Every structure is written in structure tokens, then in C-alpha cells.
Amino acid sequence: DIQMTQSPSSLSASVGDRVTITCRASQSISSYLNWYQQKPKKAPKLLIYAASSLQTGVPSRFSGSGSGTDFTLTISNLQPEDFATYYCQQSYSTPLTFGGGTTVEVK
Amino acid sequence: EVQLLESGGGLIQAGNSLRLSCAASGFTFSSHAMSWVRQAPGKGLECVSSISGTGGSTYYADSVKGRFTISRDNSKNTLYLQMSSLRAEDTAVYYCAKGGRDGYNQPSSNWFDPWGQGTLVTVSS
């Protein structure tokens, strides 16, 4: 199985900050990497698919990059509604696996 | 509008069985892979099972292999998860999720979009 490792597990930030979350795969997954946002008591929401494609309706302050084993999610100009937990997920092969999550908290 | 509505969760004793359902609407159900993703209390996400659009291919996490069975009824636009030999560690919110890639009905090379609201399964030991 492909292991996904996210870092950091949590971070503190302020509105307006630029935030970067990293995700590393245990083997190459090409660009089959997706990012989700989850708020408390809510279902996850797709932000980025195929490493860098922004899902329709998602603000352009969210961006994704990377290929192979190393990926990043960047939130530029952090907004109050962006405080949440973020997960990466590989779809290169089954079983489909997620990273452990990164919680973005208010500083 | 795509809608996914899970049902069937509840409190159940360890060792027993439970079947979850996910009623889908707003899209051509048979054209999309579907998955069940769970989240234990305070923990991260785990994809426990996926199924291709035709139902001909199924996939399971090692943690549930041999105990859970995923299926779909494309005539009823409904996804199922039959869970047996339930354990305390199966306690979680179970979400169904649609494969978001149009024109492609396999779980791999795909993404989860959207997700249902989830149904809570609590296994008591």
C-alpha cells in the first residue's frame, strides 16, 4: 500500500498569511494526488485534484503543485473560513489512501 | 444537483452485522465509481472500499477485507456496504463518495467528489 505523509500535523496562522502544507508519498504516484478540506462535523470537500487542478467553485487562493512523491498545498492570503483540517489522498493505486491531515488553527 | 444520502448506521454489538446504504441522485449513477470512506472519532480518513461503475471491480482496505462487502444496484441508484463481524475499531462515521472524474468509472486515477453527510456506526464491545 502507498503511505501518505503530511506535514506539519498542525500549524497556527493568521488571516492574510500564506500557508504551505506538504504531502509525501512512499512511492511515485505521478500526479494522482488530491486535496480535501474538512471543517468540524462536516464531510470533506474537494479542493484540488490531479495535483494542481482547482475544483470548480474553490477560491483561487488555493493552489496545488508537485509530482512523483512530493506535493504541496498552498493557501495564499488565508481567510477566516480557511481554518480547517486538510487531507491529501493518492489515487494512483488501490487501496486509495489519505495523509494523516493538517489542522490549520488560529494564531 | 448531486446528492448522496447515507442511511443504516446505528449502535450495534461487536460480532454482529449491519448494512449501510447510499441513495444517489442528480447524476448518471452507473457511470461513476463509488467509495465508502470512514472516519473514527477524532481521527483521519480511511477509504474502506471502492467499486467501479459497472460493479465488476471492487477494492477493500486490509482492515475490512473478508468482513465488508461493497455492492451497487444501478437500477436503484444505490450503493451498499454490508459489514459483518463488526469490531469496536469499526466505530466511525461512514461517508459515501462519488468518483468525480467524468467519463471514467474506475476508483483509481480519480477523486472523491462530492461526499454524503455521513452515517455514524457505533460498535459496542
Side-chain angles (χ1 to χ4, degrees):
Chain A
D1 299 2
I2 298 175
Q3 309 302 318
M4 306 300 295
T5 303
Q6 279 183 243
S7 61
S9 57
S10 66
L11 64 90
S12 298
S14 301
V15 172
D17 283 354
R18 181 183 181 90
V19 168
T20 299
I21 299 168
T22 65
C23 180
R24 175 165 288 176
S26 59
Q27 66 181 74
S28 177
I29 57 170
S30 185
S31 295
Y32 296 110
L33 190 283
N34 308 310
W35 290 98
Y36 303 87
Q37 176 193 66
Q38 187 180 32
K39 295 182 178 179
K41 303 294 185 183
K42 296 292 188 181
K45 170 189 168 185
L46 177 70
L47 297 176
I48 302 282
Y49 62 92
S52 61
S53 295
L54 190 67
Q55 173 65 347
T56 302
V58 174
S60 58
R61 63 180 178 273
F62 291 92
S63 63
S65 65
S67 66
T69 60
D70 294 315
F71 301 85
T72 60
L73 172 70
T74 300
I75 313 171
S76 60
N77 189 20
L78 192 70
Q79 295 298 297
E81 60 268 31
D82 300 336
F83 293 100
T85 300
Y86 295 85
Y87 294 92
C88 62
Q89 175 248 328
Q90 66 82 19
S91 65
Y92 180 80
S93 66
T94 55
L96 308 175
T97 48
F98 289 87
T102 297
T103 300
V104 178
E105 301 171 322
V106 177
K107 193 171 195 178
Chain B
E1 178 193 5
V2 173
Q3 291 196 351
L4 301 171
L5 185 61
E6 301 98 333
S7 60
L11 175 63
I12 192 161
Q13 282 197 322
N16 284 352
S17 299
L18 197 64
R19 189 178 82 160
L20 305 182
S21 300
C22 172
S25 61
F27 64 102
T28 304
F29 184 68
S30 60
S31 295
H32 291 268
M34 297 293 295
S35 297
W36 288 98
V37 180
R38 71 182 180 185
Q39 186 169 37
K43 302 297 185 183
L45 301 169
E46 178 189 24
C47 181
V48 296
S49 189
S50 299
I51 188 169
S52 63
T54 62
S57 299
T58 57
Y59 309 90
Y60 299 94
D62 288 343
S63 58
V64 306
K65 203 171 291 183
R67 300 188 299 122
F68 290 11
T69 302
I70 192 171
S71 62
R72 63 192 297 160
D73 185 337
N74 286 345
S75 68
K76 295 182 178 179
N77 290 352
T78 303
L79 175 73
Y80 302 101
L81 185 68
Q82 179 68 46
M83 305 185 293
S84 61
S85 302
L86 282 162
R87 306 167 180 168
E89 54 264 36
D90 295 319
T91 293
V93 174
Y94 285 74
Y95 297 100
C96 69
K98 168 183 165 285
R101 187 173 166 185
D102 287 333
Y104 183 76
N105 68 5
Q106 298 297 318
S108 58
S109 310
N110 210 327
W111 45 90
F112 301 121
D113 179 63
W115 301 53
Q117 87 290 346
T119 188
L120 176 62
V121 174
T122 304
V123 183
S124 65
S125 52

